[in-house]
Amino acid sequence: KTIKKIIRRNTVSFQKNKIIVAQVLATKEDFRDRKHYLNMKQCILGLVDENIIPILNENDVVAVEELMFTDNDELAGLVAAMIGADALIILSNVDGVYDKDPREHGAKVISEIDPEEIDITQFAGNVKSKFGRGGMATKLSIAKKAAQVGITTRIVNGTALDSITKVFAQKPIGTTIVAKKKKMPAIKKWIAHSSGHEKGIVYLNECGEPALRTKDKAISLLPIGITRVEGEFEKGDIVMIKNVQGKKIGIGKAEYNSVLASERAGKKGERPLVHYDYLVLL
């Protein structure tokens, strides 16, 4: 009911201000396939160029459960990265991210979070949002991904009518997840937000993760650092990268298929499975 009221109110507001809107329906498949991804990007930017406001939603008619978005917050994060947005606003039913469960006495809103220094999941409580299937943990996960590609995110209370106008007025409200200063190239944004759409998993040995995280220079993922490969993937597919403890540490675009990757695992002198231009560390 709350969502329907907001939609009706916003539709009337657009009409009063003579603003044209267009509905764009999407599924996760549109973000898994690079060609679909670029087509949707051109569609959205084309509408904006014509002063038409695109309103995106999940295409529930054709979406199957395994290809459904967690909620519209996930879709918002994907689209923000796609079009190179400077900022993202995520609505919740609480005033922001709290230092503990917001239902507990003395809980306070955290005004700013640095995703590089803080484990943001510790602030995620168990409160589910009224605005979708996900809770605060989901919103924080999306905000962290957005920050990694250079997009600052503000989580505010969507039940307060003036929340968004206060954000635009740069007033202190909600929680800001600070973006990295350096923005990612477009291809890496697509890769970073392809998490969850991987076709395979690559496991590293003990030296693999330290080698990839070398700060002096960019390093590609070489077969010598790989212990095993799971799943079936082709050249150009997205693969997940896990360390020796099985923790996800990165995501990248494969340079060749899973059969060759398995054959070359642990060997010296082989071509990189993931070139550093197409590698995103988490």
Side-chain angles (χ1 to χ4, degrees):
K1 290 182 179 179
T2 302
I3 295 296
K4 288 181 178 179
K5 287 180 180 179
I6 292 173
I7 291 172
R8 282 197 297 267
R9 183 168 61 244
N10 288 341
T11 301
V12 172
S13 297
F14 283 129
Q15 290 174 343
K16 285 182 178 179
N17 290 279
K18 298 181 179 180
I19 297 174
I20 301 174
V21 298
Q23 184 180 43
V24 179
L25 299 178
T27 68
K28 273 194 174 181
E29 192 64 34
D30 295 314
F31 295 90
R32 294 175 66 173
D33 183 272
R34 180 68 174 163
K35 185 176 180 180
H36 285 196
Y37 183 87
L38 293 175
N39 287 342
M40 180 172 285
K41 177 181 178 179
Q42 292 304 315
C43 173
I44 294 170
L45 294 178
L47 289 170
V48 173
D49 287 342
E50 296 296 328
N51 296 317
I52 299 173
I53 305 298
I55 299 176
L56 285 96
N57 210 335
E58 183 169 26
N59 192 344
D60 297 321
V61 176
V62 299
V64 292
E65 188 172 355
E66 60 267 25
L67 288 178
M68 292 179 71
F69 298 104
T70 303
D71 59 11
N72 277 343
D73 295 326
E74 182 183 11
L75 176 57
L78 288 166
V79 173
M82 173 190 284
I83 65 174
D86 294 318
L88 171 65
I89 302 172
I90 295 179
L91 303 182
S92 179
N93 60 331
V94 291
D95 292 335
V97 182
Y98 286 78
D99 55 0
K100 55 183 176 180
D101 193 311
R103 294 169 294 193
E104 294 183 19
H105 178 72
K108 296 180 180 179
V109 174
I110 302 169
S111 61
E112 189 173 287
I113 293 176
D114 182 345
E116 293 297 314
E117 298 179 0
I118 302 175
D119 179 10
I120 57 179
T121 59
Q122 66 182 297
F123 305 112
N126 295 316
V127 179
K128 286 285 185 179
S129 172
K130 296 177 182 178
F131 296 99
R133 293 186 287 268
M136 186 58 76
T138 301
K139 297 180 190 299
L140 284 169
S141 174
I142 293 160
K144 184 173 183 178
K145 287 182 181 179
Q148 289 173 335
V149 299
I151 301 172
T152 294
T153 301
R154 188 83 68 90
I155 299 176
V156 300
N157 194 333
T159 62
L161 296 180
D162 58 352
S163 293
I164 295 178
T165 55
K166 284 183 177 179
V167 172
F168 281 109
Q170 298 184 345
K171 293 184 178 180
I173 180 176
T175 300
T176 301
I177 290 79
V178 185
K180 286 184 175 180
K181 292 182 179 180
K182 185 179 179 181
K183 286 198 172 186
M184 281 185 180
I187 184 66
K188 283 199 172 187
K189 287 183 180 180
W190 171 64
I191 292 170
H193 277 78
S194 293
S195 180
H197 312 312
E198 304 91 350
K199 294 292 183 67
I201 304 174
V202 176
Y203 290 87
L204 306 183
N205 58 28
E206 293 183 354
C207 300
E209 182 178 5
L212 290 180
R213 295 195 184 279
T214 302
K215 294 183 178 181
D216 296 337
K217 59 179 181 179
I219 302 293
S220 298
L221 174 56
L222 298 172
I224 191 172
I226 299 173
T227 57
R228 62 189 175 94
V229 174
E230 284 186 3
E232 296 181 2
F233 54 86
E234 300 296 330
K235 179 180 179 180
D237 286 340
I238 300 300
V239 295
M240 180 192 301
I241 303 167
K242 291 188 175 183
N243 62 15
V244 70
Q245 288 82 28
K247 180 183 177 182
K248 182 177 178 179
I249 64 162
I251 186 170
K253 183 166 74 75
E255 293 296 305
Y256 41 86
N257 63 39
S258 53
V259 175
L260 290 176
S262 295
E263 291 175 354
R264 297 172 180 177
K267 295 181 179 179
K268 295 181 179 179
E270 300 289 352
R271 288 196 304 116
L273 174 59
V274 179
H275 190 273
Y276 61 76
D277 284 341
Y278 308 110
L279 172 66
V280 177
L281 296 178
L282 306 176

